[in-house]
Amino acid sequence: MKKLLTFFLLAFILFSCVGPPDPDHGLVKNLPAVINTPSAFSFSVRGDSYTFEENITLSFSLPAGKSVVSTLIVTDWKGKDTTYVHLEEVNGSEIYKYTVMGNGTSIDQSVSTAPKKAIIKGNKFTGILAWTVTAN
């Protein structure tokens, strides 16, 4: 009987502990997710009055004859301040520049210059920002 009681007590403890729910969108508040590989770059964040400045040197390698494809998606935007997203080449010239002032989608694919740096700045950003850079 004592073993049975211990078993039920242990089972009760294990199954009654509840942690925070997993986010249904896969992002944790104010914690950017970055992928930086030779074939793709991605920066995603779910901000809640989140202030940040990221300067990321890219591992991205652009194959000959390919162009850079940049996709920026902003949803659930509730900010009052502006967020900036820049993609630069080796000498610091801008390849793409985005100014986020609301929900929206931007897709660009006209540049064949290899990107070397991503700069993302937000001041009290609230919403979900997803930026992806790949080769086409």
Side-chain angles (χ1 to χ4, degrees):
M1 180 72 179
K2 190 173 182 180
K3 287 182 180 180
L4 185 60
L5 183 59
T6 304
F7 171 77
F8 282 118
L9 182 60
L10 183 60
F12 175 76
I13 291 171
L14 288 175
F15 292 109
S16 66
C17 295
V18 177
D22 291 333
D24 58 0
H25 45 67
L27 296 171
V28 177
K29 279 185 189 177
N30 301 338
L31 183 64
V34 177
I35 297 171
N36 189 5
T37 70
S39 60
F41 170 76
S42 175
F43 178 91
S44 301
V45 67
R46 177 179 179 232
D48 184 8
S49 289
Y50 184 48
T51 299
F52 58 97
E53 183 171 344
E54 301 285 340
N55 292 298
I56 303 166
T57 301
L58 303 182
S59 301
F60 195 84
S61 176
L62 186 63
K66 299 287 185 174
S67 60
V68 177
V69 178
S70 175
T71 304
L72 179 70
I73 301 170
V74 178
T75 58
D76 297 339
W77 188 83
K78 295 180 187 122
K80 293 182 181 176
D81 292 315
T82 305
T83 298
Y84 300 97
V85 177
H86 300 248
L87 186 63
E88 295 181 352
E89 62 181 21
V90 174
N91 65 7
S93 297
E94 287 181 352
I95 297 174
Y96 296 121
K97 179 180 180 180
Y98 304 100
T99 302
V100 177
M101 297 184 342
N103 291 329
T105 302
S106 296
I107 300 172
D108 294 295
Q109 61 180 3
S110 59
V111 176
S112 58
T113 302
K116 290 298 174 194
K117 184 181 267 190
I119 301 169
I120 308 106
K121 296 177 185 179
N123 187 25
K124 297 182 181 177
F125 175 79
T126 297
I128 298 174
L129 182 145
W131 182 33
T132 304
V133 178
T134 59
N136 181 26

